[in-house]
Amino acid sequence: NINLKTKKLYEELYIVKNFSSLWSSDFFEKSIYKNPSIILQLKLIALNKILKKINPEQVFVNVESDEEKHCIILLCKKLNINFSLNNKNSPSIRKIHLSIFAIFSFIKFFKFLYQRISFKKIDFKKIQNLKSSNLFITYSAYTNFKKIRSGKFDSSYWKPLINNEKLFKNTVWCNIYFNQKNNSINTQIRNFKNLNNENNYFFFLEQLFDLKIFFSIIFFWFRNLTRAKTLISSIKNYLKHIDCEFLKHLIAKDFLNSFIGIESFSNYYYFFLFQKLSKNNLEFNKIFYLFENQGWEKSLIFNFKKKTKLYAINHASIRYWDLRFYYNSNLRDELVPDYYAVNGEDSFKKLIDENFPYAKLIKLEALRYYSLMCQINTFKSTDFKKKKILLVTDYQDVSNNNLSKALMSLKREVKDKFKFTVKEHPLKKFSPLSINYETSNLDLKELRNSHDIAIVTNTTSAIVDLNILDFHVISILDKKSINLSPMRNNKNILFINDYSKISEILMNPEKYYSTKNLVKDYFYYDKNLTKWKDVLNYASK
């Protein structure tokens, strides 16, 4: 809602009438995963409150990052507080040269396109023949391509629906390509094509790309480039007005990344792909998509809102500090889905706390955790006799590095007593150097038979699985960040920021772990998927 001379900021960034690229940008999304500096911004806002409250005579600034120093100095100057640096040198902030930044962004865009270019066409007639079909928007990641090559669809996101022949009928699947090593876009399209039959059709959103879309992207990106300095200046003035001028360097960098960087190109890319898809005279009964509040979701909703009902499917757990799940009541109705489907009481309560409209929330069984919930009563409490420790990693390099540092602190007696098993994130390799370990591809249910205790990164959502499986869990906190675990405040989890304590916990686990109260209603579960049957109009088929 920032006012410029004659327009609002979002109006300056309109792509078409009533849709601004601001709303589908990373700048608006506020993902702590795409933009880690948001965590620093949160800390600086907290520091501002603390300094106002205690009003110190002097602040001693002892931080490594020049960027952090610069922000703290601006904050101290704003509050008229004396400050002292850990060294006499003033922080040097590298100025971003717009032209150089733009050139590198342009080059990255061509690399982005190169990974996604395909000349394989979509057979829209086959989609039209699937009358009363439901459209599912999903990612090609977390897909078992071995099974797909043998003619069977398998996806971690939707597996229980896929395995139910009646629920799997009359479905159209739109994949969003996820770049994977030795698995190109054309290879994935070819594999999925083998699954097409009279009941189901599979395609990739990227197959819609053409020269018209290419030139549209370039046009709007150049428009942003010509306006960048003016828009950034307006944002800085706004920050001054709301007493947050100390964030101006971080916010300006966020804005540049979102509207000049590769994020800007991909933002326009997905908008025009969904726009083209919506113009192909396709009639869908309902549209279901994975709900993470990412930018492309706004593009999907805007282009299809008047055509059908849209269901945002909460497929994982929701983190307290994940700012993507803040409900913005100022958003126009054409940018909001008809329903948000929550997968458990934890997610339901968190969305209510974040002001999501109660009338828009519906409860559906958790598909991603269905097989786990099937067996929840079969897991027995631990007796701590197993001599293996499970290490579970994440996609985030920062989180994995923190786990490595924690393992380096282990005492020799711990390393001699236990063996270590690494369960890697499927898209990220992990190699701790300080311990001997083996890597396992077994799922967590199977690993539970040989492991009592798991040490995990703070950001992994696998911590929920581990808790349900009755593991005793140690979560490694990042000393420079906030607690990003979806199980934050859960008494069954030991959150550790003093790495020296880990050895003592492993040697005397009974001292630290009391009898656990498993959260068995964390996810909604019904063997017959009754709630899903209702929303898919199963009874009428």
Side-chain angles (χ1 to χ4, degrees), residues 164-214:
N164 189 311
E165 289 184 12
K166 292 180 180 178
L167 295 182
F168 192 43
K169 278 185 178 180
N170 283 23
T171 56
V172 178
W173 296 83
C174 174
N175 280 300
I176 295 175
Y177 173 68
F178 196 94
N179 187 32
Q180 292 173 282
K181 192 176 181 181
N182 301 323
N183 204 356
S184 69
I185 177 74
N186 288 305
T187 301
Q188 292 192 22
I189 291 171
R190 190 165 53 249
N191 289 336
F192 271 96
K193 191 176 179 181
N194 296 328
L195 301 176
N196 294 338
N197 54 44
E198 66 277 5
N199 292 317
N200 313 103
Y201 188 84
F202 297 82
F203 68 93
F204 278 74
L205 185 66
E206 288 76 8
Q207 290 177 258
L208 293 159
F209 183 76
D210 58 23
L211 280 176
K212 182 181 177 182
I213 291 177
F214 173 78

Short mmCIF file of all heavy atoms in Angstrom, two decimals, residues 164-214:
data_model
loop_
_atom_site.label_atom_id
_atom_site.label_comp_id
_atom_site.label_asym_id
_atom_site.label_seq_id
_atom_site.Cartn_x
_atom_site.Cartn_y
_atom_site.Cartn_z
N ASN A 164 -5.90 -45.41 -4.89
CA ASN A 164 -7.34 -45.69 -4.88
C ASN A 164 -7.87 -45.50 -6.30
O ASN A 164 -8.01 -44.38 -6.78
CB ASN A 164 -8.05 -44.75 -3.91
CG ASN A 164 -9.50 -45.12 -3.70
OD1 ASN A 164 -10.25 -45.34 -4.64
ND2 ASN A 164 -9.91 -45.18 -2.43
N GLU A 165 -8.14 -46.57 -6.99
CA GLU A 165 -8.51 -46.51 -8.41
C GLU A 165 -9.72 -45.62 -8.66
O GLU A 165 -9.77 -44.89 -9.65
CB GLU A 165 -8.78 -47.92 -8.95
CG GLU A 165 -7.53 -48.77 -9.08
CD GLU A 165 -7.82 -50.12 -9.71
OE1 GLU A 165 -8.93 -50.30 -10.23
OE2 GLU A 165 -6.93 -50.99 -9.67
N LYS A 166 -10.71 -45.66 -7.77
CA LYS A 166 -11.92 -44.87 -7.98
C LYS A 166 -11.65 -43.38 -7.81
O LYS A 166 -12.20 -42.54 -8.52
CB LYS A 166 -13.02 -45.34 -7.04
CG LYS A 166 -13.53 -46.74 -7.38
CD LYS A 166 -14.63 -47.19 -6.43
CE LYS A 166 -15.13 -48.58 -6.80
NZ LYS A 166 -16.17 -49.07 -5.86
N LEU A 167 -10.80 -43.03 -6.83
CA LEU A 167 -10.48 -41.62 -6.61
C LEU A 167 -9.50 -41.09 -7.66
O LEU A 167 -9.44 -39.89 -7.91
CB LEU A 167 -9.86 -41.42 -5.22
CG LEU A 167 -10.75 -41.72 -4.02
CD1 LEU A 167 -10.02 -41.44 -2.73
CD2 LEU A 167 -12.04 -40.91 -4.08
N PHE A 168 -8.77 -42.00 -8.28
CA PHE A 168 -7.74 -41.62 -9.25
C PHE A 168 -8.32 -41.42 -10.65
O PHE A 168 -7.64 -40.97 -11.54
CB PHE A 168 -6.66 -42.71 -9.25
CG PHE A 168 -5.41 -42.34 -9.98
CD1 PHE A 168 -4.83 -41.08 -9.83
CD2 PHE A 168 -4.79 -43.23 -10.84
CE1 PHE A 168 -3.67 -40.73 -10.51
CE2 PHE A 168 -3.62 -42.91 -11.52
CZ PHE A 168 -3.06 -41.65 -11.34
N LYS A 169 -9.58 -41.73 -10.83
CA LYS A 169 -10.20 -41.59 -12.15
C LYS A 169 -10.48 -40.12 -12.47
O LYS A 169 -10.69 -39.31 -11.58
CB LYS A 169 -11.51 -42.38 -12.21
CG LYS A 169 -11.32 -43.86 -12.50
CD LYS A 169 -12.66 -44.54 -12.68
CE LYS A 169 -12.47 -46.02 -13.02
NZ LYS A 169 -13.77 -46.70 -13.19
N ASN A 170 -10.51 -39.81 -13.77
CA ASN A 170 -10.85 -38.47 -14.25
C ASN A 170 -9.98 -37.39 -13.59
O ASN A 170 -10.49 -36.42 -13.05
CB ASN A 170 -12.32 -38.17 -14.00
CG ASN A 170 -13.22 -38.86 -15.01
OD1 ASN A 170 -12.82 -39.85 -15.60
ND2 ASN A 170 -14.42 -38.35 -15.19
N THR A 171 -8.67 -37.60 -13.65
CA THR A 171 -7.75 -36.62 -13.09
C THR A 171 -6.76 -36.16 -14.15
O THR A 171 -6.29 -36.94 -14.97
CB THR A 171 -6.97 -37.20 -11.89
OG1 THR A 171 -6.29 -38.40 -12.30
CG2 THR A 171 -7.89 -37.50 -10.73
N VAL A 172 -6.46 -34.87 -14.11
CA VAL A 172 -5.43 -34.27 -14.97
C VAL A 172 -4.34 -33.76 -14.04
O VAL A 172 -4.63 -33.09 -13.04
CB VAL A 172 -6.01 -33.12 -15.81
CG1 VAL A 172 -4.92 -32.47 -16.66
CG2 VAL A 172 -7.13 -33.63 -16.71
N TRP A 173 -3.10 -34.09 -14.38
CA TRP A 173 -1.98 -33.75 -13.51
C TRP A 173 -1.03 -32.79 -14.22
O TRP A 173 -0.47 -33.12 -15.26
CB TRP A 173 -1.23 -35.02 -13.10
CG TRP A 173 -2.08 -35.94 -12.28
CD1 TRP A 173 -2.98 -36.85 -12.74
CD2 TRP A 173 -2.12 -36.01 -10.85
NE1 TRP A 173 -3.59 -37.49 -11.70
CE2 TRP A 173 -3.09 -37.00 -10.53
CE3 TRP A 173 -1.45 -35.36 -9.83
CZ2 TRP A 173 -3.38 -37.35 -9.21
CZ3 TRP A 173 -1.74 -35.70 -8.53
CH2 TRP A 173 -2.69 -36.68 -8.22
N CYS A 174 -0.89 -31.60 -13.65
CA CYS A 174 0.04 -30.60 -14.18
C CYS A 174 1.27 -30.55 -13.28
O CYS A 174 1.19 -30.13 -12.12
CB CYS A 174 -0.64 -29.24 -14.24
SG CYS A 174 0.47 -27.90 -14.71
N ASN A 175 2.41 -31.01 -13.82
CA ASN A 175 3.66 -30.98 -13.06
C ASN A 175 4.37 -29.65 -13.25
O ASN A 175 4.40 -29.10 -14.35
CB ASN A 175 4.60 -32.08 -13.56
CG ASN A 175 4.26 -33.44 -12.99
OD1 ASN A 175 4.26 -33.63 -11.78
ND2 ASN A 175 3.95 -34.38 -13.86
N ILE A 176 4.95 -29.14 -12.17
CA ILE A 176 5.91 -28.03 -12.26
C ILE A 176 7.29 -28.65 -12.15
O ILE A 176 7.60 -29.35 -11.18
CB ILE A 176 5.67 -27.00 -11.15
CG1 ILE A 176 4.30 -26.33 -11.36
CG2 ILE A 176 6.78 -25.95 -11.14
CD1 ILE A 176 3.92 -25.37 -10.26
N TYR A 177 8.11 -28.43 -13.16
CA TYR A 177 9.40 -29.11 -13.26
C TYR A 177 10.33 -28.70 -12.13
O TYR A 177 10.46 -27.52 -11.80
CB TYR A 177 10.05 -28.78 -14.61
CG TYR A 177 11.47 -29.30 -14.76
CD1 TYR A 177 11.72 -30.66 -14.84
CD2 TYR A 177 12.55 -28.42 -14.82
CE1 TYR A 177 13.00 -31.15 -14.98
CE2 TYR A 177 13.84 -28.90 -14.96
CZ TYR A 177 14.07 -30.25 -15.04
OH TYR A 177 15.36 -30.72 -15.17
N PHE A 178 10.97 -29.70 -11.55
CA PHE A 178 11.99 -29.47 -10.54
C PHE A 178 13.30 -30.04 -11.09
O PHE A 178 13.39 -31.22 -11.41
CB PHE A 178 11.63 -30.17 -9.23
CG PHE A 178 12.42 -29.68 -8.05
CD1 PHE A 178 11.93 -28.67 -7.24
CD2 PHE A 178 13.67 -30.21 -7.77
CE1 PHE A 178 12.66 -28.20 -6.16
CE2 PHE A 178 14.41 -29.75 -6.69
CZ PHE A 178 13.90 -28.74 -5.88
N ASN A 179 14.29 -29.17 -11.23
CA ASN A 179 15.56 -29.57 -11.85
C ASN A 179 16.28 -30.62 -11.00
O ASN A 179 16.54 -30.41 -9.83
CB ASN A 179 16.45 -28.34 -12.03
CG ASN A 179 17.71 -28.66 -12.81
OD1 ASN A 179 17.71 -29.51 -13.68
ND2 ASN A 179 18.79 -27.97 -12.49
N GLN A 180 16.55 -31.76 -11.62
CA GLN A 180 17.26 -32.84 -10.94
C GLN A 180 18.40 -33.35 -11.83
O GLN A 180 18.27 -33.40 -13.05
CB GLN A 180 16.30 -34.00 -10.63
CG GLN A 180 15.24 -33.66 -9.60
CD GLN A 180 14.23 -34.77 -9.43
OE1 GLN A 180 13.33 -34.93 -10.25
NE2 GLN A 180 14.38 -35.56 -8.38
N LYS A 181 19.47 -33.72 -11.20
CA LYS A 181 20.64 -34.19 -11.94
C LYS A 181 20.29 -35.45 -12.74
O LYS A 181 19.65 -36.36 -12.25
CB LYS A 181 21.78 -34.49 -10.95
CG LYS A 181 23.12 -34.70 -11.62
CD LYS A 181 24.22 -34.89 -10.59
CE LYS A 181 25.56 -35.09 -11.24
NZ LYS A 181 26.65 -35.30 -10.24
N ASN A 182 20.74 -35.47 -14.00
CA ASN A 182 20.53 -36.61 -14.91
C ASN A 182 19.05 -36.95 -15.13
O ASN A 182 18.69 -38.10 -15.38
CB ASN A 182 21.26 -37.87 -14.37
CG ASN A 182 22.75 -37.63 -14.23
OD1 ASN A 182 23.36 -36.96 -15.05
ND2 ASN A 182 23.34 -38.19 -13.17
N ASN A 183 18.19 -35.93 -14.98
CA ASN A 183 16.76 -36.16 -15.18
C ASN A 183 16.15 -34.91 -15.79
O ASN A 183 15.44 -34.15 -15.13
CB ASN A 183 16.09 -36.49 -13.85
CG ASN A 183 14.80 -37.29 -14.04
OD1 ASN A 183 14.36 -37.54 -15.16
ND2 ASN A 183 14.19 -37.67 -12.93
N SER A 184 16.42 -34.66 -17.06
CA SER A 184 16.05 -33.42 -17.73
C SER A 184 14.54 -33.30 -17.89
O SER A 184 13.80 -34.27 -17.71
CB SER A 184 16.72 -33.35 -19.11
OG SER A 184 16.14 -34.32 -19.97
N ILE A 185 14.10 -32.11 -18.28
CA ILE A 185 12.68 -31.86 -18.49
C ILE A 185 12.11 -32.80 -19.55
O ILE A 185 11.04 -33.37 -19.38
CB ILE A 185 12.44 -30.37 -18.88
CG1 ILE A 185 10.98 -30.10 -19.19
CG2 ILE A 185 13.29 -29.97 -20.08
CD1 ILE A 185 10.07 -30.04 -18.04
N ASN A 186 12.84 -33.01 -20.65
CA ASN A 186 12.33 -33.88 -21.72
C ASN A 186 12.28 -35.34 -21.30
O ASN A 186 11.38 -36.08 -21.70
CB ASN A 186 13.18 -33.70 -22.98
CG ASN A 186 12.93 -32.35 -23.64
OD1 ASN A 186 11.80 -32.02 -23.95
ND2 ASN A 186 13.98 -31.57 -23.84
N THR A 187 13.25 -35.75 -20.48
CA THR A 187 13.23 -37.12 -19.95
C THR A 187 12.00 -37.31 -19.05
O THR A 187 11.31 -38.33 -19.14
CB THR A 187 14.51 -37.41 -19.14
OG1 THR A 187 15.64 -37.24 -19.99
CG2 THR A 187 14.50 -38.83 -18.59
N GLN A 188 11.73 -36.34 -18.21
CA GLN A 188 10.59 -36.44 -17.30
C GLN A 188 9.27 -36.43 -18.07
O GLN A 188 8.35 -37.20 -17.75
CB GLN A 188 10.64 -35.30 -16.28
CG GLN A 188 11.80 -35.41 -15.30
CD GLN A 188 11.69 -34.45 -14.13
OE1 GLN A 188 10.61 -33.98 -13.80
NE2 GLN A 188 12.81 -34.15 -13.50
N ILE A 189 9.17 -35.57 -19.09
CA ILE A 189 7.94 -35.52 -19.90
C ILE A 189 7.71 -36.86 -20.58
O ILE A 189 6.59 -37.38 -20.61
CB ILE A 189 8.03 -34.39 -20.95
CG1 ILE A 189 7.98 -33.03 -20.26
CG2 ILE A 189 6.89 -34.51 -21.97
CD1 ILE A 189 8.27 -31.86 -21.19
N ARG A 190 8.78 -37.43 -21.12
CA ARG A 190 8.69 -38.72 -21.81
C ARG A 190 8.24 -39.82 -20.84
O ARG A 190 7.40 -40.67 -21.19
CB ARG A 190 10.05 -39.07 -22.42
CG ARG A 190 10.03 -40.25 -23.37
CD ARG A 190 11.27 -40.32 -24.22
NE ARG A 190 12.50 -40.29 -23.43
CZ ARG A 190 13.36 -39.27 -23.43
NH1 ARG A 190 13.12 -38.19 -24.16
NH2 ARG A 190 14.46 -39.31 -22.68
N ASN A 191 8.77 -39.81 -19.63
CA ASN A 191 8.38 -40.82 -18.64
C ASN A 191 6.91 -40.69 -18.26
O ASN A 191 6.17 -41.68 -18.18
CB ASN A 191 9.25 -40.68 -17.39
CG ASN A 191 10.68 -41.14 -17.62
OD1 ASN A 191 10.94 -41.95 -18.51
ND2 ASN A 191 11.61 -40.62 -16.83
N PHE A 192 6.46 -39.46 -18.03
CA PHE A 192 5.08 -39.24 -17.61
C PHE A 192 4.09 -39.54 -18.74
O PHE A 192 2.95 -39.93 -18.48
CB PHE A 192 4.88 -37.80 -17.13
CG PHE A 192 5.14 -37.63 -15.65
CD1 PHE A 192 6.38 -37.20 -15.19
CD2 PHE A 192 4.16 -37.90 -14.72
CE1 PHE A 192 6.63 -37.03 -13.85
CE2 PHE A 192 4.39 -37.74 -13.37
CZ PHE A 192 5.63 -37.30 -12.92
N LYS A 193 4.53 -39.36 -19.97
CA LYS A 193 3.64 -39.60 -21.12
C LYS A 193 3.16 -41.05 -21.14
O LYS A 193 2.05 -41.35 -21.58
CB LYS A 193 4.36 -39.26 -22.42
CG LYS A 193 3.46 -39.23 -23.64
CD LYS A 193 4.23 -38.79 -24.88
CE LYS A 193 3.31 -38.79 -26.11
NZ LYS A 193 4.04 -38.39 -27.33
N ASN A 194 3.98 -41.96 -20.63
CA ASN A 194 3.62 -43.38 -20.59
C ASN A 194 2.43 -43.66 -19.67
O ASN A 194 1.82 -44.73 -19.73
CB ASN A 194 4.82 -44.22 -20.12
CG ASN A 194 5.98 -44.15 -21.09
OD1 ASN A 194 5.78 -44.02 -22.30
ND2 ASN A 194 7.20 -44.24 -20.57
N LEU A 195 2.10 -42.70 -18.80
CA LEU A 195 1.02 -42.89 -17.84
C LEU A 195 -0.34 -42.47 -18.38
O LEU A 195 -1.37 -42.76 -17.78
CB LEU A 195 1.32 -42.09 -16.56
CG LEU A 195 2.61 -42.42 -15.81
CD1 LEU A 195 2.78 -41.46 -14.64
CD2 LEU A 195 2.62 -43.86 -15.31
N ASN A 196 -0.34 -41.74 -19.52
CA ASN A 196 -1.60 -41.22 -20.05
C ASN A 196 -2.51 -42.35 -20.53
O ASN A 196 -2.08 -43.27 -21.23
CB ASN A 196 -1.33 -40.25 -21.21
CG ASN A 196 -0.62 -38.99 -20.74
OD1 ASN A 196 -0.69 -38.64 -19.57
ND2 ASN A 196 0.05 -38.30 -21.65
N ASN A 197 -3.79 -42.26 -20.12
CA ASN A 197 -4.77 -43.25 -20.54
C ASN A 197 -6.15 -42.60 -20.59
O ASN A 197 -6.26 -41.37 -20.50
CB ASN A 197 -4.76 -44.48 -19.60
CG ASN A 197 -4.94 -44.07 -18.15
OD1 ASN A 197 -5.78 -43.22 -17.82
ND2 ASN A 197 -4.16 -44.67 -17.26
N GLU A 198 -7.19 -43.41 -20.71
CA GLU A 198 -8.54 -42.84 -20.85
C GLU A 198 -9.05 -42.20 -19.55
O GLU A 198 -10.04 -41.47 -19.55
CB GLU A 198 -9.54 -43.93 -21.30
CG GLU A 198 -9.80 -45.05 -20.32
CD GLU A 198 -8.76 -46.16 -20.37
OE1 GLU A 198 -7.76 -46.00 -21.12
OE2 GLU A 198 -8.93 -47.17 -19.67
N ASN A 199 -8.37 -42.48 -18.43
CA ASN A 199 -8.82 -41.95 -17.14
C ASN A 199 -7.97 -40.79 -16.61
O ASN A 199 -8.43 -40.01 -15.78
CB ASN A 199 -8.81 -43.06 -16.07
CG ASN A 199 -9.88 -44.11 -16.35
OD1 ASN A 199 -11.00 -43.77 -16.70
ND2 ASN A 199 -9.52 -45.38 -16.20
N ASN A 200 -6.71 -40.71 -17.06
CA ASN A 200 -5.78 -39.73 -16.50
C ASN A 200 -4.91 -39.13 -17.61
O ASN A 200 -4.60 -39.79 -18.60
CB ASN A 200 -4.87 -40.37 -15.45
CG ASN A 200 -5.62 -41.22 -14.45
OD1 ASN A 200 -5.59 -42.44 -14.54
ND2 ASN A 200 -6.31 -40.58 -13.52
N TYR A 201 -4.52 -37.87 -17.39
CA TYR A 201 -3.60 -37.24 -18.34
C TYR A 201 -2.55 -36.44 -17.55
O TYR A 201 -2.88 -35.73 -16.59
CB TYR A 201 -4.34 -36.31 -19.30
CG TYR A 201 -3.45 -35.79 -20.41
CD1 TYR A 201 -3.24 -36.56 -21.55
CD2 TYR A 201 -2.81 -34.56 -20.30
CE1 TYR A 201 -2.40 -36.11 -22.56
CE2 TYR A 201 -1.97 -34.10 -21.31
CZ TYR A 201 -1.77 -34.88 -22.44
OH TYR A 201 -0.93 -34.44 -23.44
N PHE A 202 -1.29 -36.54 -17.99
CA PHE A 202 -0.18 -35.89 -17.32
C PHE A 202 0.54 -34.95 -18.29
O PHE A 202 0.79 -35.32 -19.45
CB PHE A 202 0.83 -36.92 -16.81
CG PHE A 202 0.29 -37.85 -15.77
CD1 PHE A 202 -0.45 -38.98 -16.14
CD2 PHE A 202 0.51 -37.62 -14.42
CE1 PHE A 202 -0.96 -39.84 -15.18
CE2 PHE A 202 0.01 -38.48 -13.46
CZ PHE A 202 -0.73 -39.60 -13.84
N PHE A 203 0.88 -33.77 -17.82
CA PHE A 203 1.69 -32.86 -18.64
C PHE A 203 2.51 -31.96 -17.71
O PHE A 203 2.31 -31.95 -16.49
CB PHE A 203 0.83 -32.03 -19.58
CG PHE A 203 -0.06 -31.02 -18.89
CD1 PHE A 203 0.37 -29.71 -18.69
CD2 PHE A 203 -1.32 -31.37 -18.45
CE1 PHE A 203 -0.44 -28.78 -18.06
CE2 PHE A 203 -2.16 -30.44 -17.82
CZ PHE A 203 -1.71 -29.13 -17.62
N PHE A 204 3.43 -31.21 -18.29
CA PHE A 204 4.25 -30.27 -17.54
C PHE A 204 3.85 -28.85 -17.92
O PHE A 204 3.65 -28.55 -19.11
CB PHE A 204 5.74 -30.48 -17.83
CG PHE A 204 6.36 -31.59 -17.03
CD1 PHE A 204 6.09 -32.92 -17.34
CD2 PHE A 204 7.20 -31.32 -15.96
CE1 PHE A 204 6.65 -33.96 -16.60
CE2 PHE A 204 7.76 -32.33 -15.21
CZ PHE A 204 7.49 -33.66 -15.53
N LEU A 205 3.75 -27.99 -16.94
CA LEU A 205 3.40 -26.59 -17.19
C LEU A 205 4.39 -25.97 -18.18
O LEU A 205 4.01 -25.15 -19.03
CB LEU A 205 3.43 -25.82 -15.86
CG LEU A 205 2.97 -24.37 -15.89
CD1 LEU A 205 1.49 -24.27 -16.24
CD2 LEU A 205 3.26 -23.68 -14.56
N GLU A 206 5.64 -26.38 -18.10
CA GLU A 206 6.69 -25.82 -18.95
C GLU A 206 6.46 -26.07 -20.44
O GLU A 206 7.01 -25.37 -21.29
CB GLU A 206 8.05 -26.39 -18.53
CG GLU A 206 8.59 -25.87 -17.20
CD GLU A 206 7.91 -26.47 -15.98
OE1 GLU A 206 7.12 -27.42 -16.14
OE2 GLU A 206 8.17 -26.00 -14.87
N GLN A 207 5.65 -27.06 -20.77
CA GLN A 207 5.36 -27.36 -22.17
C GLN A 207 4.57 -26.25 -22.86
O GLN A 207 4.46 -26.22 -24.09
CB GLN A 207 4.58 -28.68 -22.28
CG GLN A 207 5.40 -29.92 -21.95
CD GLN A 207 4.57 -31.19 -21.99
OE1 GLN A 207 4.17 -31.71 -20.96
NE2 GLN A 207 4.31 -31.68 -23.19
N LEU A 208 4.03 -25.32 -22.09
CA LEU A 208 3.23 -24.23 -22.64
C LEU A 208 4.09 -23.04 -23.09
O LEU A 208 3.58 -22.12 -23.73
CB LEU A 208 2.22 -23.74 -21.60
CG LEU A 208 1.12 -24.73 -21.22
CD1 LEU A 208 0.52 -24.38 -19.87
CD2 LEU A 208 0.04 -24.76 -22.29
N PHE A 209 5.36 -23.08 -22.76
CA PHE A 209 6.23 -21.93 -23.07
C PHE A 209 6.37 -21.74 -24.58
O PHE A 209 6.48 -22.69 -25.34
CB PHE A 209 7.61 -22.16 -22.45
CG PHE A 209 8.55 -21.00 -22.64
CD1 PHE A 209 8.41 -19.85 -21.89
CD2 PHE A 209 9.56 -21.06 -23.60
CE1 PHE A 209 9.29 -18.78 -22.07
CE2 PHE A 209 10.42 -20.00 -23.79
CZ PHE A 209 10.28 -18.86 -23.02
N ASP A 210 6.33 -20.46 -25.01
CA ASP A 210 6.52 -20.14 -26.42
C ASP A 210 7.19 -18.77 -26.55
O ASP A 210 7.46 -18.10 -25.54
CB ASP A 210 5.20 -20.18 -27.19
CG ASP A 210 4.15 -19.23 -26.61
OD1 ASP A 210 4.54 -18.25 -25.94
OD2 ASP A 210 2.94 -19.46 -26.81
N LEU A 211 7.44 -18.33 -27.79
CA LEU A 211 8.13 -17.06 -28.02
C LEU A 211 7.33 -15.87 -27.53
O LEU A 211 7.89 -14.88 -27.05
CB LEU A 211 8.45 -16.90 -29.50
CG LEU A 211 9.67 -17.67 -30.02
CD1 LEU A 211 9.82 -17.51 -31.52
CD2 LEU A 211 10.95 -17.21 -29.30
N LYS A 212 6.02 -15.95 -27.63
CA LYS A 212 5.19 -14.84 -27.16
C LYS A 212 5.39 -14.62 -25.66
O LYS A 212 5.52 -13.48 -25.18
CB LYS A 212 3.71 -15.13 -27.46
CG LYS A 212 2.79 -14.00 -27.04
CD LYS A 212 1.33 -14.35 -27.32
CE LYS A 212 0.41 -13.22 -26.83
NZ LYS A 212 -1.02 -13.54 -27.04
N ILE A 213 5.43 -15.72 -24.91
CA ILE A 213 5.67 -15.62 -23.47
C ILE A 213 7.07 -15.08 -23.21
O ILE A 213 7.27 -14.23 -22.32
CB ILE A 213 5.47 -17.00 -22.80
CG1 ILE A 213 3.99 -17.38 -22.83
CG2 ILE A 213 6.01 -17.00 -21.36
CD1 ILE A 213 3.67 -18.75 -22.27
N PHE A 214 8.05 -15.53 -23.98
CA PHE A 214 9.42 -15.07 -23.82
C PHE A 214 9.49 -13.55 -23.95
O PHE A 214 10.07 -12.86 -23.09
CB PHE A 214 10.33 -15.73 -24.85
CG PHE A 214 11.74 -15.18 -24.86
CD1 PHE A 214 12.65 -15.57 -23.89
CD2 PHE A 214 12.14 -14.28 -25.84
CE1 PHE A 214 13.95 -15.06 -23.90
CE2 PHE A 214 13.42 -13.76 -25.86
CZ PHE A 214 14.33 -14.15 -24.88
#
